Amino acid sequence: MKFYSQKITLDYPISVSPMGEIAGFPVRPGMFDVNGAMALQCGVNFTIHTCYGTRCELLLFHVGEDEPYAVLPFPESYRIGDVYSMIVFGLNIEEFEYAYRIDGPYQPEKGLLFDKHAILLDPYARSVTGQKNWGEQKERFYHAQVVKDIFDWGDMPQSNRELCDLVIYELHVRGFTQHYTSGVTHRGTFAGLREKIPYLKSLGINAVELMPIFEFDENMDVREVDGKKLLDYWGYNTVGFFAPNNNYFASDEANTRGQELKELIKALHDNGIEVILDVVFNHTAEGNEKGPTFCFKGLDNKVYYMLTPDGNYYNFSGCGNTLNCNHPIVHQLILECLRFWTVSYRVDGFRFDLASILGRNENGSPMNNPPLLRSLAFDPLLANVKLIAEAWDAGGMYQVGSFPAEKRWAEWNGRYRDAIRGYLKGDNWESWDAAWSISGSGDLYGGFSPDYDGNYAGYNSCVNFLTCHDGFTLYDLYSYNEKHNEANGWGNTDGANDNRSWNCGAEGDTNDPEVLSLRWRMIRNACAVLMCSRGTPMFLAGDEFGNTQFGNNNCYCQDNEISWLDWSLLEKNHDVFEFFQFMIAFRMKHPVIRKRLPDAVCGIDPLHTHNINAEDTTIPRDARTLSVCFAGYDKDKGRDDMVYVSVNTYWKDVHITLPNPRKAGHWYLSVNTYGDGQGRYFYPEGREARIDGEFIMRPRSVAVFTVR
């Protein structure tokens, strides 16, 4: 028997020789199939493509300067198809920045906006310059720097956790540590976040979701309101998809900017914490026809953006433009971008902002089987990466429960947020949706039936949340009936009006002890329900110690104390922090909450929903009290795992009857958010009170029971 073998040849040897000279630099045709700029042993390879452009120039700048010291036109012989590529010899990557100019037709009515004078950023730039200090007005064009990827990840394996085994903690890199109370050395940076890893580990979460960290311009739409400068603080206006935001680095050393972020990610991984990036592929910072031209408009406006027949911009993002995601060129850029962050930064997952746009055709219409979503779902490099969709957009497409999933995509469960928010505050007509939501939203994601591989994929399709960056904090959810966004300068017209919040009897700050007691109980209720719901829980940083945004539910422009975490509240509200700690640990101890286990030996059904009597599985449409029972056999512990969650939204006591545990043991009270009168709201294993059959649920409270 003869085996076939293959001889490996190098298309581009390590040592190559120049073939010509342009602007005094020795050059030769480059690597046409490698997008962006790449450092070589002998020089730098530059590759860029344009479909409708007719001429391309490479501009070289001394670091920090605005005028190029060299302009290198690409000869036609350095072009294959629509791709220009050139190796420039003798360049030191620490001594220059680069950009492009592209000439072509200017016909706005046809979507062609070429300007041979426009300075254009490389869309594949690994590092973007032009703005050094946070909040300082950009006075330069965006340039790119060449970065060497020399970080040693060692033999660190990729995480194999299922999504349902995560507890996700959403945070803003700057806002997490920028407040003076954070106690870190490098406030508002990747390094500052790294200093907080011991805190994250003590809290018990095992995944962080970072709000946008791609290069963005915080000075976009800068303005002043009541003497305060308002910036694009959140960062949902991308400038460069392959480059981390320079302002999030504590170090200014050229070409080492990726190092600090990689060190952060490695340190998080070393502590068992996964990293999910919030990514924005629905629009860019170039805006509509009134916006700047710094990259895609000048490269190929009608390729990168969805345009109307008369050349204007479709605005399904609400931000002026919409990326043309299912055009093959944009499709390729997005795929390469996600591959880059997966390989070069070892990111564990991506949350896609306004992800329904990713399923729109080039004319804006919804697609039945979007090629981009399918491609991302089946890409081999992304095979183990979490893909999470915000399954709606600003154009009215709402796909919660129907996002084209390909058994790979999960969704932010907007129904969970709305139903549980409403039910907890007393909207008892939400009882059915609340019961479905706590049970795992099987009506949306098919969590009750195995797929063809025997897996209950539905439990990995659902990210449950009550709070996120967009909306009230958990403390504000129970402190305000109405939004208070006056500081944003729009007359309180911005931000959502349907918050399903409740101020518990007083709007905003109060010294009323009864109101405050109820607020903290409602926060414990929310935490207990979230951590005892099937699906993947996510909550906003600071919720665990009562952080407030003072009633502002749209802090996108507030780079100040409104958005920054006030860490002094951690000590002030430490009992709330301890409750979050316990509930997260409780969830980790009970796999039956997270997923369906083999059937319980005692014979109790895997999942039951109840009203006040556990023998009655019917729930009235307007039930004030509901319970969910999870049961299964935990093979690791060699015994049945059973959890019973009861939610009483009524303002009076309610008697409930628990299920008969049969041979599994006895019920014990693990959590009672009303408390025992002595400041105890949870009971570690071995110190719980035994409950025989019946229990009195106190007003507006949640109780959690386990069997042993």
Side-chain angles (χ1 to χ4, degrees):
M1 180 181 293
K2 181 179 180 181
F3 293 97
Y4 290 100
S5 61
Q6 181 178 1
K7 180 184 289 187
I8 299 175
T9 60
L10 294 176
D11 291 333
Y12 299 97
I14 293 177
S15 178
V16 293
S17 301
M19 294 181 63
E21 183 178 293
I22 301 176
F25 290 88
V27 297
R28 68 170 293 138
M31 294 177 259
F32 291 86
D33 54 353
V34 180
N35 286 314
M38 183 175 67
L40 306 174
Q41 188 175 12
C42 55
V44 177
N45 181 82
F46 298 92
T47 302
I48 192 167
H49 54 76
T50 173
C51 180
Y52 296 100
T54 58
R55 188 169 180 270
C56 181
E57 295 176 332
L58 170 67
L59 311 181
L60 301 180
F61 302 82
H62 291 301
V63 175
E65 294 190 359
D66 296 334
E67 293 297 323
Y69 69 85
V71 177
L72 288 75
F74 284 81
E76 275 300 307
S77 58
Y78 287 37
R79 175 177 182 171
I80 296 179
D82 294 331
V83 181
Y84 295 89
S85 188
M86 175 164 51
I87 296 175
V88 182
F89 293 83
L91 291 176
N92 183 339
I93 63 172
E94 296 183 1
E95 296 178 350
F96 77 94
E97 302 167 355
Y98 73 97
Y100 294 99
R101 287 197 296 240
I102 294 180
D103 199 2
Y106 182 78
Q107 297 174 311
E109 71 282 359
K110 295 183 179 180
L112 302 173
L113 301 178
F114 290 99
D115 178 358
K116 64 182 179 181
H117 302 294
I119 308 296
L120 303 179
L121 178 68
D122 182 356
Y124 286 84
R126 271 38 171 185
S127 178
V128 178
T129 69
Q131 186 176 340
K132 182 177 180 181
N133 298 316
W134 174 272
E136 289 185 3
Q137 195 70 31
K138 180 175 71 70
E139 297 179 354
R140 301 176 51 214
F141 295 106
Y142 290 115
H143 300 161
Q145 287 182 306
V146 184
V147 178
K148 282 187 177 180
D149 188 1
I150 56 174
F151 191 81
D152 184 5
W153 292 96
D155 60 354
M156 181 185 70
Q158 191 176 30
S159 173
N160 59 4
R161 287 195 192 103
E162 292 185 84
L163 184 66
C164 63
D165 289 328
L166 299 184
V167 175
I168 301 173
Y169 187 74
E170 188 197 33
L171 65 88
H172 187 281
V173 169
R174 178 172 170 82
F176 193 61
T177 61
Q178 183 61 26
H179 200 275
Y180 71 93
T181 57
S182 66
V184 303
T185 302
H186 303 289
R187 286 161 48 189
T189 66
F190 294 125
L193 174 54
R194 185 180 176 187
E195 293 179 64
K196 284 292 187 181
I197 289 178
Y199 169 80
L200 298 175
K201 197 169 182 182
S202 72
L203 177 59
I205 58 95
N206 57 8
V208 292
E209 183 173 302
L210 306 183
M211 290 173 64
I213 64 166
F214 294 178
E215 186 63 56
F216 65 89
D217 181 8
E218 72 276 7
N219 288 298
M220 184 176 179
D221 299 324
V222 62
R223 53 204 168 88
E224 189 171 297
V225 174
D226 295 332
K228 287 188 175 181
K229 181 189 285 189
L230 302 186
L231 304 173
D232 181 33
Y233 166 74
W234 278 353
Y236 286 91
N237 280 297
T238 308
V239 168
F241 290 101
F242 292 77
N245 191 312
N246 276 332
N247 289 307
Y248 287 171
F249 290 93
S251 170
D252 285 334
E253 294 181 25
N255 298 316
T256 61
R257 290 181 172 87
Q259 187 88 0
E260 190 178 305
L261 175 56
K262 291 172 182 175
E263 289 171 352
L264 166 64
I265 294 173
K266 189 174 189 306
L268 287 165
H269 285 172
D270 289 344
N271 284 275
I273 300 173
E274 295 190 16
V275 178
I276 299 169
L277 299 187
D278 191 344
V279 293
V280 188
F281 291 113
N282 56 76
H283 73 284
T284 76
E286 288 188 306
N288 59 18
E289 65 278 358
K290 297 180 181 179
T293 296
F294 59 77
C295 185
F296 302 105
K297 285 182 178 179
L299 281 171
D300 265 321
N301 183 60
K302 69 181 299 181
V303 168
Y304 287 100
Y305 296 114
M306 289 186 193
L307 302 180
T308 65
D310 56 358
N312 291 318
Y313 295 92
Y314 281 117
N315 188 18
F316 300 115
S317 67
C319 297
N321 64 51
T322 306
L323 268 181
N324 195 9
C325 297
N326 283 292
H327 187 287
I329 297 298
V330 187
H331 178 150
Q332 178 187 0
L333 179 136
I334 294 173
L335 178 59
E336 288 193 53
C337 177
L338 297 177
R339 283 174 153 236
F340 167 75
W341 288 97
T342 299
V343 173
S344 295
Y345 284 87
R346 302 300 168 92
V347 166
D348 301 285
F350 302 94
R351 177 265 184 188
F352 295 79
D353 183 64
L354 299 183
S356 290
I357 284 175
L358 277 63
R360 288 186 182 270
N361 209 333
E362 294 182 49
N363 62 4
S365 61
M367 305 178 75
N368 291 328
N369 193 17
L372 173 62
L373 300 183
R374 186 172 173 82
S375 177
L376 300 184
F378 293 105
D379 184 77
L381 270 177
L382 304 180
N384 295 324
V385 168
K386 280 83 174 174
L387 303 176
I388 304 170
E390 183 184 36
W392 54 83
D393 64 25
M397 190 149 67
Y398 188 81
Q399 296 178 297
V400 171
S402 62
F403 192 78
E406 297 289 354
K407 300 186 184 301
R408 275 282 286 118
W409 285 80
E411 297 174 14
W412 269 22
N413 190 345
R415 199 274 300 272
Y416 181 97
R417 174 198 60 202
D418 296 342
I420 300 299
R421 276 190 178 192
Y423 189 67
L424 287 178
K425 78 181 183 71
D427 296 344
N428 50 324
W429 56 87
E430 298 272 14
S431 60
W432 285 5
D433 282 345
W436 277 113
S437 296
I438 296 171
S439 303
S441 298
D443 58 331
L444 296 180
Y445 303 110
F448 301 122
S449 302
D451 61 20
Y452 50 78
D453 293 321
N455 300 314
Y456 289 84
Y459 302 138
N460 286 311
S461 300
C462 173
V463 175
N464 298 324
F465 68 105
L466 292 169
T467 59
C468 64
H469 67 276
D470 191 0
F472 282 142
T473 68
L474 192 56
Y475 182 84
D476 290 357
L477 192 64
Y478 299 113
S479 299
Y480 298 91
N481 282 347
E482 308 292 339
K483 65 186 181 183
H484 294 270
N485 299 353
E486 291 82 3
N488 294 355
W490 306 115
N492 205 32
T493 59
D494 62 305
N497 293 313
D498 180 19
N499 296 289
R500 307 192 183 202
S501 61
W502 179 40
N503 65 18
C504 297
E507 188 76 357
D509 288 342
T510 181
N511 293 320
D512 187 324
E514 291 188 9
V515 172
L516 290 172
S517 176
L518 179 56
R519 285 179 179 176
W520 292 119
R521 192 189 327 151
M522 295 297 289
I523 289 172
R524 290 190 294 272
N525 290 348
C527 175
V529 170
L530 181 65
M531 293 303 161
C532 289
S533 297
R534 278 225 172 120
T536 303
M538 183 194 78
F539 64 98
L540 180 64
D543 280 349
E544 72 275 17
F545 53 74
N547 191 64
T548 178
Q549 292 174 173
F550 311 102
N552 194 319
N553 75 350
N554 189 32
C555 292
Y556 76 101
C557 57
Q558 298 295 336
D559 178 40
N560 50 52
E561 289 81 1
I562 292 177
S563 292
W564 302 341
L565 294 199
D566 180 355
W567 288 88
S568 69
L569 295 173
L570 174 59
E571 181 177 354
K572 179 180 178 182
N573 303 323
H574 200 70
D575 58 331
V576 179
F577 172 77
E578 290 177 339
F579 188 83
F580 269 79
Q581 275 186 314
F582 177 85
M583 289 309 309
I584 293 169
F586 182 86
R587 180 181 179 84
M588 297 299 185
K589 287 180 182 177
H590 293 280
V592 75
I593 299 174
R594 308 193 299 273
K595 65 191 78 174
R596 177 166 177 168
L597 301 179
D599 288 350
V601 174
C602 68
I604 290 184
D605 288 342
L607 177 65
H608 263 177
T609 55
H610 310 272
N611 185 209
I612 58 175
N613 185 347
E615 301 304 316
D616 183 2
T617 59
T618 61
I619 298 178
R621 188 66 182 87
D622 58 351
R624 289 168 168 163
T625 306
L626 66 83
S627 303
V628 178
C629 182
F630 301 112
Y633 182 73
D634 185 347
K635 291 186 288 186
D636 293 336
K637 294 179 181 177
R639 58 184 171 88
D640 284 347
D641 186 16
M642 295 171 57
V643 174
Y644 196 73
V645 185
S646 293
V647 183
N648 180 27
T649 67
Y650 195 31
W651 54 87
K652 295 181 180 180
D653 288 352
V654 173
H655 286 72
I656 65 169
T657 302
L658 277 66
N660 183 349
R662 303 178 188 178
K663 297 179 181 180
H666 300 277
W667 287 109
Y668 288 84
L669 178 64
S670 296
V671 176
N672 181 4
T673 63
Y674 195 90
D676 61 0
Q678 300 179 25
R680 287 191 294 267
Y681 305 101
F682 58 85
Y683 306 91
E685 189 170 339
R687 285 188 264 170
E688 315 103 311
R690 177 171 159 176
I691 306 297
D692 291 319
E694 294 186 350
F695 183 76
I696 299 177
M697 292 286 296
R698 301 307 307 277
R700 300 191 187 280
S701 68
V702 173
V704 183
F705 310 87
T706 54
V707 164
R708 61 178 173 84

